[in-house]
Amino acid sequence: MSDLQKYIKQRKKNDKAFSENYDEGYNELKIGELLKQARIESGITQETLAQQLNTKKSAISRIENHAQDIKLSTLQNFARIMGKELRIELI
């Protein structure tokens, strides 16, 4: 376990607000990063994706960097354009 991982584990143990906010923020970042990776692997630029989604490049950037309040239909269209399948799991 790295020093960073040890710090996060200890901080989450001692600070409930940090723990809740950390997990929420991590999940938002994770979704955005997954979308970004899929876009790059598909060879599609933010500009091209924005045109195909009928939005602005800045909106794509916000999705990839913040991933907050994304509509399911937007995620489905994002996946479709990249030739991917959207799958959501509750575990």
Side-chain angles (χ1 to χ4, degrees):
M1 181 179 292
S2 74
D3 289 342
L4 177 60
Q5 290 170 324
K6 289 177 187 175
Y7 169 79
I8 292 169
K9 182 178 179 181
Q10 187 64 36
R11 180 86 187 267
K12 287 172 74 174
K13 180 180 175 184
N14 295 331
D15 187 338
K16 184 178 179 181
F18 174 84
S19 179
E20 291 171 0
N21 292 331
Y22 178 87
D23 291 338
E24 181 180 323
Y26 177 78
N27 287 332
E28 289 174 359
L29 176 65
K30 184 177 173 183
I31 291 169
E33 187 59 31
L34 289 171
L35 293 172
K36 180 179 179 179
Q37 287 175 3
R39 178 185 57 75
I40 291 170
E41 287 172 7
S42 297
I44 299 172
T45 66
Q46 285 184 339
E47 185 70 38
T48 300
L49 181 60
Q51 290 171 352
Q52 292 183 15
L53 288 173
N54 197 29
T55 191
K56 295 181 179 180
K57 181 183 173 208
S58 61
I60 301 303
S61 179
R62 277 194 309 276
I63 289 170
E64 291 180 354
N65 291 309
H66 306 291
Q68 298 179 50
D69 301 324
I70 305 171
K71 292 182 186 178
L72 183 56
S73 61
T74 300
L75 289 173
Q76 289 170 323
N77 288 332
F78 203 105
R80 178 186 50 77
I81 289 167
M82 293 181 293
K84 305 277 186 184
E85 176 184 335
L86 178 66
R87 189 173 25 184
I88 298 172
E89 292 183 16
L90 297 174
I91 52 175

